Amino acid sequence: MLNTTGLRLDQGPPIHVPFRFFLTAPFFTVLSALALLHQGEALLASRWVPGTLAITHWMAIGFLGQIMAGTLLQMLPVIAGAPVPRVQHFGWVLHLSLSMGAALLGAGLWYSHPPLLLTGALLAALGFSALLLAIWLALYRRRGSGQQIRGIGFAAFSLGVTVLFGFLLAATLGGWLQLSDLLVWVNLHLAWAFLGWVGLLIASISIQLVPLFYVTPNYPVWLIRSLGPLILLALCLGTLFALFQQPAAARVAFGTAVAAWMVFGSITLYLQHERRRQRMDPTLLHWWVALLCALVAGILWSLEGPPVVLGILLFFGLATGLSAGMLFKIIPFLTWFHLQSQQLGAGHLRVRVPNMRTLLPENWAYLQVALHLIALLCLLAAWAEPSWTSLAACFLGSEAVILLVLILRNLWYFRRVAGRISAASSAQA
Ligand code: HEM
């Protein structure tokens, strides 16, 4: 049973708005897998290999950015109780600019081609600006003062800083600007990206969805209240220290943010352990692998571990796995909810709406989790022994294809059952 208390589900956008993002995202994982197959062993040698930087942004913007944008467009009106105005237009602009931006930025980094790089950076910045505007509107028009929406506000602020720093970096690489000490700026860009944007967004969405989807106790109030402000303060201080060349103080500040997120991750694992229904479910496996990767990444970071391993753990372990885990819950729920609403709106209950297990068959979901886990292990092995790279690429591509098939299957069910509901309404009239 889902606990939907406090959510205003009728405020969400039409189903095709979030689905467009969810359907595009796996293509960027396939693209990254093909790049790994093509350039293979060279890519995991260093964080500065052009192909590695390209994959970073195909995954960061093309995969993760799309899923986060689709989820937010769906969730913001539900949590804030006020619809995003002109959500279909927002959806179009956001989707096109993020997709094109990710593709071109990645290509520009890969080929070290300034016009491609700058066009991609401009488009990605445009897409993220549209997302920030949607978040700002939801915050501005919200009813009530939810902590979750405040958390999303903090994540949005971090996204703004990430995009600004990313754009400055792209402008420097493209010859428009001259930033001294590029490494400091790159590190600031990725700190705001992971700890602020990705970290705080995952935390805010989890605080809303983990008790809802797994029927767990709620997160402690002190954590909900303090996590966002603490991480944001630590990031701001860390940035100032880094820019004023105080590396030791900057590390303490960023370390505080990492530790705060690790506390959140550990509490999430504990709450999931305390869930009311102890049944195993493939999404839980995704959560556990993702959180474990994040915790290991936190420890490795504090030990100054290899950046490529950190990147694998954060992008492929945390972000890709958790996104798939969330999609496995969100997608069948949205399909079911929209069909049920359509039927209620039509004033009859004649058509049987498939339940969530039918919409997302567990054996396929387990297969996707297994492929994900193997891909992750192969990627880690490939860092130590490059000959594993091709195998890692094959598993990465396969997990993305299965994800795509599962999303398409939901869309197919939606179209079929929605058609039956319309036909039943016409017959009734
Ligand atoms: C408009 C959006 C963005 C632009 C224009 C952008 C641009 C850039 C550029 C130019 C670099 C430096 C490449 C180099 O030094 O050769 C970089 C590095 C990086 N970016 Fe972005 N970026 C954007 C968004 C993001 C997002 C959303 C994430 C993560 C969620 C991200 C993650 C990273 C990481 C991890 C690195 C460092 C890679 C490494 O050091 O191994 N970027 N970005």
Side-chain angles (χ1 to χ4, degrees):
M1 262 289 282
L2 288 178
N3 167 16
T4 53
T5 321
L7 295 182
R8 300 169 178 97
L9 295 166
D10 54 329
Q11 303 275 3
I15 195 167
H16 60 82
V17 175
F19 263 64
R20 196 179 307 137
F21 293 89
F22 300 156
L23 275 171
T24 315
F27 284 101
F28 280 94
T29 314
V30 172
L31 182 62
S32 304
L34 290 176
L36 271 173
L37 263 184
H38 173 62
Q39 283 232 335
E41 311 191 348
L43 286 192
L44 298 176
S46 143
R47 60 188 271 199
W48 303 118
V49 176
T52 311
L53 289 165
I55 291 183
T56 302
H57 288 85
W58 287 333
M59 293 305 292
I61 304 174
F63 180 82
L64 197 57
Q66 302 261 13
I67 290 183
M68 288 182 158
T71 307
L72 278 175
L73 281 190
Q74 175 63 43
M75 276 190 67
L76 280 172
V78 174
I79 299 175
V84 175
R86 299 181 186 276
V87 67
Q88 311 220 24
H89 295 104
F90 255 115
W92 269 113
V93 173
L94 196 52
H95 177 254
L96 262 181
S97 43
L98 283 187
S99 309
M100 300 285 293
L104 295 180
L105 179 63
L109 285 166
W110 185 299
Y111 294 110
S112 305
H113 189 285
L116 276 181
L117 178 76
L118 290 168
T119 315
L122 277 169
L123 283 170
L126 172 73
F128 281 129
S129 305
L131 181 61
L132 289 176
L133 184 60
I135 296 174
W136 180 78
L137 283 172
L139 282 167
Y140 181 71
R141 296 155 52 118
R142 75 177 185 269
R143 300 202 208 119
S145 57
Q147 291 288 343
Q148 292 85 356
I149 196 86
R150 209 170 62 115
I152 291 176
F154 290 143
F157 178 80
S158 308
L159 173 63
V161 180
T162 304
V163 172
L164 176 69
F165 287 177
F167 195 77
L168 293 179
L169 287 168
T172 303
L173 294 178
W176 281 2
L177 202 77
Q178 205 57 55
L179 281 182
S180 61
D181 214 348
L182 209 63
L183 180 62
V184 171
W185 288 94
V186 175
N187 285 339
L188 287 177
H189 169 63
L190 69 92
W192 280 91
F194 274 118
L195 287 165
W197 163 234
V198 179
L200 283 177
L201 193 62
I202 288 179
S204 314
I205 293 182
S206 307
I207 286 169
Q208 182 73 50
L209 291 187
V210 167
L212 173 79
F213 283 140
Y214 299 105
V215 199
T216 68
N218 279 324
Y219 280 83
V221 175
W222 60 264
L223 183 81
I224 300 178
R225 291 222 173 110
S226 59
L227 187 70
L230 179 65
I231 290 188
L232 209 61
L233 180 68
L235 282 174
C236 290
L237 287 176
T239 303
L240 286 177
F241 288 136
L243 290 178
F244 286 99
Q245 286 160 5
Q246 302 290 328
R251 208 167 159 78
V252 172
F254 289 130
T256 309
V258 171
W261 205 91
M262 286 171 77
V263 170
F264 156 79
S266 311
I267 290 181
T268 305
L269 283 173
Y270 172 74
L271 291 179
Q272 288 177 341
H273 178 258
E274 293 294 297
R275 68 196 184 280
R276 213 171 294 160
R277 283 179 67 213
Q278 283 296 323
R279 208 179 143 269
M280 191 32 124
D281 138 357
T283 65
L284 270 174
L285 287 178
H286 263 312
W287 272 92
W288 293 341
V289 172
L291 290 175
L292 208 67
C293 285
L295 295 179
V296 173
I299 296 168
L300 266 186
W301 178 83
S302 64
L303 300 174
E304 304 199 28
V308 172
V309 176
L310 279 174
I312 294 174
L313 288 173
L314 291 176
F315 271 115
F316 296 101
L318 173 69
T320 318
L322 207 55
S323 303
M326 288 218 195
L327 285 186
F328 285 174
K329 285 286 187 192
I330 293 173
I331 284 175
F333 176 64
L334 280 185
T335 310
W336 174 85
F337 173 72
H338 278 272
L339 288 171
Q340 201 69 15
S341 306
Q342 188 184 339
Q343 179 136 262
L344 288 175
H348 64 77
L349 287 171
R350 285 202 215 137
V351 179
R352 210 181 127 260
V353 171
N355 63 25
M356 290 196 229
R357 286 250 194 98
T358 312
L359 290 169
L360 196 108
E362 272 201 347
N363 45 355
W364 280 85
Y366 273 118
L367 175 66
Q368 200 274 348
V369 179
L371 290 171
H372 171 69
L373 200 58
I374 300 173
L376 184 61
L377 292 174
C378 289
L379 277 169
L380 289 171
W383 171 75
E385 172 48 60
S387 59
W388 283 83
T389 314
S390 306
L391 201 59
C394 293
F395 281 110
L396 191 64
S398 322
E399 78 164 272
V401 170
I402 304 269
L403 182 62
L404 187 64
V405 169
L406 288 173
I407 302 173
L408 283 170
R409 191 174 183 278
N410 267 260
L411 207 57
W412 178 78
Y413 260 112
F414 178 78
R415 291 248 162 94
R416 206 171 68 145
V417 179
R420 281 195 203 145
I421 294 173
S422 304
S425 309
S426 313
Q428 187 177 341

